[in-house]
Amino acid sequence: MDQNRSGASRRDFLKAVGAGAVFAAVPGAVVGGLAGGLLPASAATTALSLVASDGYATMPGREDDPLYIFGFVPVDPSLTVSQLISTYKGHTQMSAPTLDFLQNDDMKITLTNLGLVQRPDLTDSHTIHWHGFDIPSPLNDGVPEVSVAVPIGKQLTYFYRPHREGTYMWHCHFEDVEHVQMGMTGIVFVRPLQDGTSIGGFTKFAYNDGDGSTGYHRHFAILLNEVWSNFHDGDRDIQESIATDYEPQWFTLNGRCYPETVLPNDHHGESSGITTPNPNYGDAPDISQPNSSLIQFNPGERALLRLANLGYQQHAMQMPGIPMHVVGQDASLLRNGATDTSYWTNTLYIGPGEARDVLIDAPAYDAARPSGSDGRGSYNVYYFKNRDWRRLSSLGAPAAGGGPSGMMTEVRVYQTPLPAQQYVSQTYV
Ligand SMILES: [Cu+2]
């Protein structure tokens, strides 16, 4: 480890937790253990800190009988293990925070396993596994069979110096089929060294492309997933689930079903209003699905969609009216020597454990198109949605008043320009 680089600044920390919910982590000062808001400025913040525990999340039709989940929550690194347990045990989120890193930066992530409230009989460890990294050190790879896992009440600091830019995903690798389905999944991406230089009219890029071909103005991290009630109810009720019976009822983007996918993030002072009764704590409400999937941009802008699928099924995603330019796949620039292997498509296929980097160009604002309005004014609305209608519905209650649900979000093109994006998946409403 390079000791000269051991002191990451608060800026690095905030950058690292990017779109992930950054919760105020002041013991005793939070509602139901989780609350929106930035961590206070602190020179003592030298690394990213995550806790692993259990909690509950809401799905359409299960608003009053929430689903049991496992998950990761970002916390103030200065808190002690006992403070973390008293504040966060039994409270968690789905999906996990998006991690935003810069190529060649040294990053440390301390994972604390708080244990499970609903299942005190389980002694499960947890790990952090960066899916798709081709050159991890074994200790930091998070595969428990070949490295170490973090037992209940213990901490482990993972160290990374990501040399390859691109979009990846991360998850717990302990009893991974179960823990991944239970919610311990998120997106991690590595910005290229090329970021900050001006190439082809852009200063932000998906890859070190040398020609600006992966440049973008705004970027959005969206995790595709499925939720199967048997796994969640079975874990809650101390029953085995047969994974070969897998038949998910909910299809999610960043842990939410449409129309909740378009609600704001629950951090940086934004609030989705989505709360979940937490039976661990007398049904006191938790903020358990903090990550928005809303895509917003201005006419003439280019957006990068950082997409990953950590479900167990392939998905075919469409965006009628806006062609999708796929420039990266599984954290690799789609280019073979001098040959451009990127492609344009109206149907994006993405399998389990796969990632895609997709560029889209905002069309001109058209007053004649279907539109809506929010606090930012009028917008044209397009949809980013699963092609399969069965994945645009949800068991039980559909969206209020009927209409689509499931794996879908909105792409909004504004009449009055939005300000520049400050962090990944920032929403303006
Ligand atoms: Cu785990």
Side-chain angles (χ1 to χ4, degrees):
M1 188 178 300
D2 182 350
Q3 292 300 326
N4 292 328
R5 299 295 307 279
S6 61
S9 66
R10 173 174 175 270
R11 181 189 60 81
D12 292 332
F13 172 76
L14 296 176
K15 184 180 68 182
V17 292
V22 181
F23 293 107
V26 182
V30 290
V31 177
L34 296 178
L38 278 171
L39 287 167
S42 168
T45 300
T46 58
L48 173 59
S49 190
L50 296 165
V51 293
S53 189
D54 61 349
Y56 286 82
T58 301
M59 287 287 139
R62 293 286 296 263
E63 288 82 359
D64 300 324
D65 179 20
L67 290 180
Y68 184 53
I69 61 172
F70 300 165
F72 296 107
V73 174
V75 296
D76 183 339
S78 69
L79 296 180
T80 65
V81 172
S82 61
Q83 286 174 319
L84 291 171
I85 290 174
S86 64
T87 305
Y88 289 100
K89 184 177 181 181
H91 306 282
T92 196
Q93 68 178 70
M94 179 179 76
S95 54
T98 300
L99 306 181
D100 176 351
F101 294 112
L102 182 64
Q103 185 180 357
N104 290 350
D105 257 9
D106 288 357
M107 290 306 307
K108 297 178 197 171
I109 303 177
T110 298
L111 174 63
T112 309
N113 182 349
L114 307 183
L116 308 170
V117 171
Q118 173 66 24
R119 291 294 305 274
D121 57 307
L122 290 181
T123 57
D124 291 23
S125 296
H126 298 292
T127 73
I128 295 174
H129 172 69
W130 291 30
H131 180 106
F133 272 32
D134 54 351
I135 43 174
S137 58
L139 178 65
N140 298 295
D141 192 36
V143 178
E145 292 84 353
V146 294
S147 81
V148 294
V150 185
I152 293 171
K154 302 297 183 184
Q155 293 183 315
L156 176 69
T157 298
Y158 293 81
F159 171 73
Y160 306 95
R161 186 184 298 163
H163 293 300
R164 299 195 190 199
E165 78 278 23
T167 302
Y168 303 82
M169 62 212 83
W170 65 285
H171 61 83
C172 174
H173 215 299
F174 190 93
E175 297 180 354
D176 54 338
V177 173
E178 174 191 7
H179 286 212
V180 164
Q181 167 61 201
M182 289 299 286
M184 307 189 97
T185 57
I187 288 180
V188 53
F189 62 88
V190 179
R191 298 173 186 250
L193 287 174
Q194 185 181 300
D195 258 20
T197 59
S198 184
I199 304 176
F202 295 97
T203 58
K204 294 184 285 188
F205 310 89
Y207 291 89
N208 293 306
D209 53 44
D211 59 5
S213 58
T214 68
Y216 64 90
H217 299 102
R218 298 174 192 272
H219 60 158
F220 302 87
I222 300 179
L223 182 75
L224 286 65
N225 212 338
E226 310 108 24
V227 178
W228 183 42
S229 63
N230 291 37
F231 241 129
H232 297 259
D233 295 345
D235 267 16
R236 179 196 61 192
D237 300 337
I238 321 181
Q239 298 296 314
E240 283 292 329
S241 300
I242 309 301
T244 49
D245 291 342
Y246 188 65
E247 193 172 353
Q249 294 91 350
W250 296 279
F251 299 87
T252 59
L253 297 176
N254 287 339
R256 301 179 185 171
C257 292
Y258 186 80
E260 292 188 335
T261 50
V262 304
L263 296 176
N265 296 295
D266 286 304
H267 62 94
H268 294 287
E270 304 174 32
S271 176
S272 71
I274 303 172
T275 59
T276 299
N278 188 333
N280 289 344
Y281 293 96
D283 288 340
D286 263 357
I287 297 169
S288 57
Q289 286 140 288
N291 297 327
S292 178
S293 300
L294 178 60
I295 300 164
Q296 299 172 297
F297 53 175
N298 301 318
E301 284 187 334
R302 182 166 293 172
L304 168 65
L305 308 185
R306 299 181 179 276
L307 307 172
N309 177 3
L310 263 172
Y312 301 134
Q313 298 180 337
Q314 189 190 50
H315 295 287
M317 301 297 293
Q318 298 187 320
M319 192 181 294
I322 300 179
M324 294 184 283
H325 186 200
V326 186
V327 296
Q329 176 167 319
D330 302 332
S332 299
L333 176 64
L334 285 174
R335 184 186 294 172
N336 182 6
T339 304
D340 179 9
T341 57
S342 69
Y343 59 95
W344 293 82
T345 186
N346 61 9
T347 305
L348 178 76
Y349 294 94
I350 180 167
E354 294 185 347
R356 300 285 185 276
D357 297 287
V358 177
L359 295 174
I360 54 173
D361 289 325
Y365 179 80
D366 179 358
R369 268 196 69 89
S371 65
S373 65
D374 56 25
R376 296 284 169 170
S378 297
Y379 55 80
N380 289 152
V381 61
Y382 299 80
Y383 296 96
F384 180 55
K385 64 184 185 68
N386 203 296
R387 186 180 63 181
D388 186 341
W389 65 269
R390 294 167 298 180
R391 298 175 182 189
L392 295 176
S393 61
S394 296
L395 184 74
S405 181
M407 194 178 279
M408 174 165 140
T409 189
E410 294 184 8
V411 182
R412 298 178 181 173
V413 180
Y414 283 76
Q415 182 176 31
T416 304
L418 302 171
Q421 195 180 42
Q422 301 299 310
Y423 48 89
V424 65
S425 294
Q426 181 175 15
T427 52
Y428 297 90
V429 291

